[in-house]
Amino acid sequence: SSDSYDLVICSYALYFFPEMIPEISRVLKNDGFFITITHSNADMKEMVGIVKNILIQNNLLAEDQSLPIEIIFDQFSAENGKNLLLPFFNKIQTIDFKNTLVFQPQEIGHFIDYFQFKKSFFLTENEAHNKTVIHQLFNELQDTAMKKYFVTMCKDDRIFICSEPLTVED
Protein backbone atom coordinates (compact mmCIF):
# COMPACT_ATOMS: atom_id res chain seq x y z
CA SER A 1 0.00 0.00 0.00
CA SER A 2 0.97 3.64 -0.35
CA ASP A 3 3.04 5.47 2.23
CA SER A 4 4.21 2.33 4.06
CA TYR A 5 8.01 2.01 3.83
CA ASP A 6 10.65 3.97 5.73
CA LEU A 7 13.50 2.89 3.46
CA VAL A 8 13.93 1.37 0.02
CA ILE A 9 17.44 0.45 -1.17
CA CYS A 10 18.40 -0.55 -4.70
CA SER A 11 22.04 -1.44 -5.33
CA TYR A 12 23.29 -1.65 -8.94
CA ALA A 13 19.98 -2.80 -10.35
CA LEU A 14 17.69 0.16 -11.13
CA TYR A 15 18.90 0.23 -14.74
CA PHE A 16 17.05 -3.08 -15.20
CA PHE A 17 13.70 -1.64 -14.08
CA PRO A 18 13.65 2.19 -14.05
CA GLU A 19 9.90 2.04 -14.63
CA MET A 20 9.60 1.11 -10.92
CA ILE A 21 10.66 4.60 -9.75
CA PRO A 22 7.05 5.91 -9.52
CA GLU A 23 6.03 2.80 -7.54
CA ILE A 24 8.99 3.21 -5.16
CA SER A 25 7.97 6.84 -4.57
CA ARG A 26 4.35 5.80 -4.01
CA VAL A 27 5.12 3.19 -1.32
CA LEU A 28 7.62 5.39 0.54
CA LYS A 29 6.51 7.22 3.67
CA ASN A 30 6.62 11.04 3.48
CA ASP A 31 9.69 11.05 5.73
CA GLY A 32 11.17 7.93 4.13
CA PHE A 33 14.28 7.52 1.99
CA PHE A 34 15.05 5.82 -1.29
CA ILE A 35 18.75 5.08 -1.74
CA THR A 36 20.10 3.76 -5.00
CA ILE A 37 23.65 3.28 -6.23
CA THR A 38 24.47 2.99 -9.90
CA HIS A 39 27.34 3.06 -12.34
CA SER A 40 28.54 5.90 -14.51
CA ASN A 41 28.08 5.67 -18.30
CA ALA A 42 31.88 5.50 -18.40
CA ASP A 43 31.88 2.25 -16.40
CA MET A 44 34.31 -0.19 -18.03
CA LYS A 45 34.68 2.19 -21.04
CA GLU A 46 38.11 0.75 -21.76
CA MET A 47 36.68 -2.74 -22.22
CA VAL A 48 33.70 -1.36 -24.15
CA GLY A 49 36.10 0.18 -26.67
CA ILE A 50 38.10 -3.03 -27.13
CA VAL A 51 35.01 -5.22 -27.51
CA LYS A 52 33.32 -2.82 -29.95
CA ASN A 53 36.44 -2.66 -32.16
CA ILE A 54 36.70 -6.45 -32.36
CA LEU A 55 32.98 -6.94 -33.05
CA ILE A 56 33.09 -4.25 -35.77
CA GLN A 57 36.21 -5.89 -37.33
CA ASN A 58 34.30 -9.20 -37.44
CA ASN A 59 31.17 -7.56 -38.95
CA LEU A 60 29.16 -8.48 -35.84
CA LEU A 61 28.41 -4.88 -34.83
CA ALA A 62 27.67 -1.74 -36.81
CA GLU A 63 29.64 1.44 -36.02
CA ASP A 64 26.54 3.10 -34.52
CA GLN A 65 25.32 0.02 -32.64
CA SER A 66 25.44 -0.24 -28.84
CA LEU A 67 26.67 -3.07 -26.67
CA PRO A 68 24.26 -4.55 -24.09
CA ILE A 69 26.07 -2.67 -21.29
CA GLU A 70 25.57 0.67 -23.06
CA ILE A 71 21.84 -0.02 -23.53
CA ILE A 72 21.50 -0.92 -19.85
CA PHE A 73 23.30 2.23 -18.68
CA ASP A 74 21.16 4.38 -20.98
CA GLN A 75 18.19 3.28 -18.86
CA PHE A 76 19.57 4.56 -15.54
CA SER A 77 23.07 5.82 -14.73
CA ALA A 78 24.98 8.43 -12.77
CA GLU A 79 24.47 10.83 -15.66
CA ASN A 80 20.71 10.49 -16.25
CA GLY A 81 19.53 9.22 -12.85
CA LYS A 82 18.69 12.58 -11.31
CA ASN A 83 16.43 13.55 -14.23
CA LEU A 84 14.63 10.22 -13.94
CA LEU A 85 14.15 10.63 -10.17
CA LEU A 86 13.19 14.34 -10.12
CA PRO A 87 9.51 13.87 -11.08
CA PHE A 88 9.04 11.59 -8.06
CA PHE A 89 11.16 13.09 -5.26
CA ASN A 90 11.37 16.64 -3.96
CA LYS A 91 14.88 16.19 -2.56
CA ILE A 92 17.75 14.31 -4.21
CA GLN A 93 21.29 14.26 -2.86
CA THR A 94 24.17 12.64 -4.72
CA ILE A 95 27.50 11.24 -3.65
CA ASP A 96 30.07 10.38 -6.32
CA PHE A 97 32.65 7.64 -5.99
CA LYS A 98 35.45 7.97 -8.53
CA ASN A 99 37.17 4.63 -8.84
CA THR A 100 39.59 2.90 -11.20
CA LEU A 101 40.66 -0.72 -11.22
CA VAL A 102 44.32 -1.17 -12.19
CA PHE A 103 45.65 -4.49 -13.48
CA GLN A 104 49.45 -4.93 -13.69
CA PRO A 105 50.86 -7.22 -16.44
CA GLN A 106 51.27 -10.10 -13.99
CA GLU A 107 47.57 -9.69 -13.12
CA ILE A 108 46.31 -9.99 -16.70
CA GLY A 109 44.77 -13.35 -15.76
CA HIS A 110 42.61 -11.56 -13.19
CA PHE A 111 41.63 -8.99 -15.83
CA ILE A 112 40.55 -11.79 -18.21
CA ASP A 113 38.66 -13.51 -15.36
CA TYR A 114 36.91 -10.19 -14.70
CA PHE A 115 35.93 -9.97 -18.36
CA GLN A 116 34.67 -13.59 -18.30
CA PHE A 117 32.49 -12.69 -15.30
CA LYS A 118 31.10 -9.60 -17.06
CA LYS A 119 30.99 -10.81 -20.68
CA SER A 120 27.18 -11.11 -20.83
CA PHE A 121 27.13 -7.30 -20.52
CA PHE A 122 29.32 -7.03 -23.62
CA LEU A 123 28.47 -9.93 -25.91
CA THR A 124 25.32 -11.59 -27.16
CA GLU A 125 24.98 -15.34 -26.62
CA ASN A 126 26.23 -16.05 -30.19
CA GLU A 127 29.22 -13.71 -29.85
CA ALA A 128 30.15 -15.21 -26.48
CA HIS A 129 30.38 -18.65 -28.12
CA ASN A 130 32.32 -17.39 -31.15
CA LYS A 131 35.82 -18.76 -30.48
CA THR A 132 37.43 -16.39 -33.01
CA VAL A 133 35.95 -13.33 -31.26
CA ILE A 134 36.87 -14.57 -27.78
CA HIS A 135 40.43 -15.41 -28.93
CA GLN A 136 40.83 -11.95 -30.50
CA LEU A 137 39.43 -10.31 -27.38
CA PHE A 138 41.84 -12.09 -25.06
CA ASN A 139 44.77 -11.30 -27.36
CA GLU A 140 43.77 -7.62 -27.49
CA LEU A 141 43.34 -7.46 -23.70
CA GLN A 142 46.79 -9.03 -23.22
CA ASP A 143 48.39 -6.77 -25.86
CA THR A 144 46.90 -3.70 -24.20
CA ALA A 145 48.30 -4.77 -20.82
CA MET A 146 51.75 -5.48 -22.24
CA LYS A 147 51.99 -2.25 -24.27
CA LYS A 148 50.98 0.01 -21.39
CA TYR A 149 52.40 -2.19 -18.59
CA PHE A 150 49.00 -2.00 -16.95
CA VAL A 151 45.29 -1.86 -17.79
CA THR A 152 42.89 0.55 -16.12
CA MET A 153 39.15 0.16 -15.84
CA CYS A 154 36.80 3.00 -14.94
CA LYS A 155 34.44 2.01 -12.11
CA ASP A 156 32.85 5.37 -11.21
CA ASP A 157 29.58 5.17 -9.26
CA ARG A 158 26.98 7.56 -7.88
CA ILE A 159 24.68 7.17 -4.90
CA PHE A 160 21.30 8.92 -5.05
CA ILE A 161 19.63 9.65 -1.71
CA CYS A 162 16.01 10.56 -2.42
CA SER A 163 13.50 11.88 0.06
CA GLU A 164 10.20 13.76 0.20
CA PRO A 165 8.37 11.55 -2.31
CA LEU A 166 5.97 13.45 -4.53
CA THR A 167 2.39 12.41 -5.09
CA VAL A 168 1.89 11.92 -8.80
CA GLU A 169 -1.64 12.54 -10.04
CA ASP A 170 -2.99 9.95 -12.50
Side-chain angles (χ1 to χ4, degrees):
S1 74
S2 296
D3 192 29
S4 34
Y5 291 91
D6 295 314
L7 177 65
V8 175
I9 298 174
C10 184
S11 179
Y12 301 108
L14 199 55
Y15 32 76
F16 293 115
F17 48 87
E19 70 279 359
M20 292 303 296
I21 296 170
E23 183 66 9
I24 293 167
S25 172
R26 184 186 70 77
V27 301
L28 207 58
K29 289 182 178 178
N30 287 337
D31 60 349
F33 288 91
F34 171 48
I35 299 171
T36 185
I37 185 168
T38 194
H39 296 299
S40 161
N41 278 341
D43 189 66
M44 296 188 283
K45 67 182 176 197
E46 301 85 352
M47 205 177 289
V48 168
I50 291 170
V51 171
K52 281 184 109 162
N53 285 339
I54 288 170
L55 292 178
I56 290 167
Q57 287 168 21
N58 285 279
N59 296 315
L60 296 169
L61 190 75
E63 293 275 347
D64 60 350
Q65 211 173 341
S66 296
L67 296 179
I69 193 168
E70 294 173 299
I71 295 166
I72 290 167
F73 290 161
D74 281 349
Q75 295 183 86
F76 189 90
S77 67
E79 291 75 15
N80 69 5
K82 189 167 188 176
N83 286 339
L84 294 169
L85 294 163
L86 271 172
F88 306 101
F89 297 93
N90 197 39
K91 190 174 177 188
I92 301 171
Q93 297 171 272
T94 60
I95 302 171
D96 287 329
F97 287 93
K98 300 292 181 193
N99 197 10
T100 302
L101 295 177
V102 179
F103 297 90
Q104 304 296 330
Q106 68 272 19
E107 299 170 321
I108 193 65
H110 297 301
F111 180 59
I112 292 189
D113 290 346
Y114 184 75
F115 175 76
Q116 287 278 37
F117 178 68
K118 296 285 190 177
K119 76 179 173 188
S120 64
F121 287 106
F122 293 91
L123 303 171
T124 65
E125 193 68 31
N126 288 343
E127 294 159 356
H129 288 93
N130 183 323
K131 291 192 185 329
T132 303
V133 168
I134 296 298
H135 184 71
Q136 286 177 334
L137 263 171
F138 289 164
N139 283 343
E140 185 64 31
L141 296 173
Q142 285 180 312
D143 287 352
T144 301
M146 294 309 172
K147 276 185 234 164
K148 294 168 57 178
Y149 299 107
F150 62 91
V151 176
T152 60
M153 183 84 51
C154 175
K155 293 299 294 171
D156 294 348
D157 297 324
R158 177 171 288 164
I159 296 175
F160 293 95
I161 304 166
C162 310
S163 56
E164 300 177 18
L166 298 169
T167 306
V168 180
E169 301 299 324
D170 292 21

